Amino acid sequence: MFNIPEQLLLNMFSRIEEGYPDNPYHNRVHAASVFHMMHLLIHNGLIQQGVLDGITMLGCYLAAICHDYDHSGFNNDHLIKTKSPLAITYNDVSPNENHHVAGAYTLLLSSPDYYFSKDMALEDRNILRAAIIELILATDMKKHLACSRSFRRVYSTACLCDCNQAQIVNHVF
């Protein structure tokens, strides 16, 4: 769809995977699980119903693999209460999620071996970046209920033809 060379994608995915520390939950297995779930959600409802365009779909996949990039293992409340450098840098607003986005983008832009979007039109790059930022920031648990309600509403509408899919989504979220 975007003519991104396969080797560049493999380099990028490998490098992102290396950025997931070995901690009990926010690790590369968790990232793979979220990526898989995103794929299922996209291809079992949203994409068939025309809810997503190609650039947004790419943003969903990239946000899924980057959503906990370089996670320290501490939650936002802990980072804020201890006045960690991340909390200070991001003014106590979603320090983990802001770090995941900034860290992943810093990595992806740091080398031509990972810079997958360099040949995209500027407008597409901006749409892609906005989607990734919005999706990763939405993983802050303080925003979880509002995001879950919105997602359920959109996904249930897209899956009106299959009640089982809507029930699965309501159970997961």
Side-chain angles (χ1 to χ4, degrees):
M1 177 183 309
F2 295 102
N3 298 320
I4 301 170
E6 183 178 340
Q7 189 58 52
L8 191 142
L9 281 175
L10 292 173
N11 292 342
M12 181 188 72
F13 289 153
S14 293
R15 190 62 185 92
I16 290 291
E17 182 181 14
E18 290 170 11
Y20 274 84
D22 289 326
N23 67 45
Y25 183 74
H26 299 98
N27 54 45
R28 59 188 57 135
V29 174
H30 170 66
S33 175
V34 171
F35 182 87
H36 184 245
M37 183 64 168
M38 181 65 75
H39 179 76
L40 290 173
L41 293 173
I42 288 171
H43 289 279
N44 287 328
L46 295 178
I47 197 74
Q48 287 105 345
Q49 300 299 321
V51 174
L52 292 179
D53 59 10
I55 198 77
T56 306
M57 182 173 59
L58 179 60
C60 288
Y61 282 126
L62 291 170
I65 65 165
C66 295
H67 83 281
D68 276 334
Y69 177 79
D70 195 33
H71 199 293
S72 67
F74 295 103
N75 66 28
N76 286 335
D77 287 337
H78 173 80
L79 296 175
I80 293 165
K81 287 176 185 171
T82 61
K83 308 270 187 256
S84 79
L86 285 182
I88 301 300
T89 298
Y90 297 111
N91 301 311
D92 297 341
V93 178
S94 304
N96 272 320
E97 292 74 21
N98 275 296
H99 174 68
H100 304 320
V101 173
Y105 255 90
T106 298
L107 169 73
L108 296 176
L109 298 176
S110 70
S111 168
D113 292 338
Y114 320 128
Y115 188 22
F116 65 92
S117 62
K118 67 179 177 255
D119 295 327
M120 289 182 182
L122 178 60
E123 182 179 353
D124 285 344
R125 281 197 317 261
N126 290 339
I127 291 168
L128 179 65
R129 179 162 162 74
I132 292 170
I133 291 169
E134 183 176 355
L135 288 164
I136 292 177
L137 291 180
T139 65
D140 182 342
M141 290 307 291
K142 288 193 176 188
K143 299 173 185 172
H144 181 73
L145 287 177
C147 289
S148 296
R149 272 189 236 113
S150 177
F151 177 81
R152 256 192 240 116
R153 187 173 47 254
V154 169
Y155 195 78
S156 294
T157 301
C159 297
L160 285 176
C161 59
D162 189 342
C163 295
N164 290 332
Q165 286 180 347
Q167 289 169 350
I168 290 169
V169 169
N170 286 328
H171 176 73
V172 171
F173 296 94

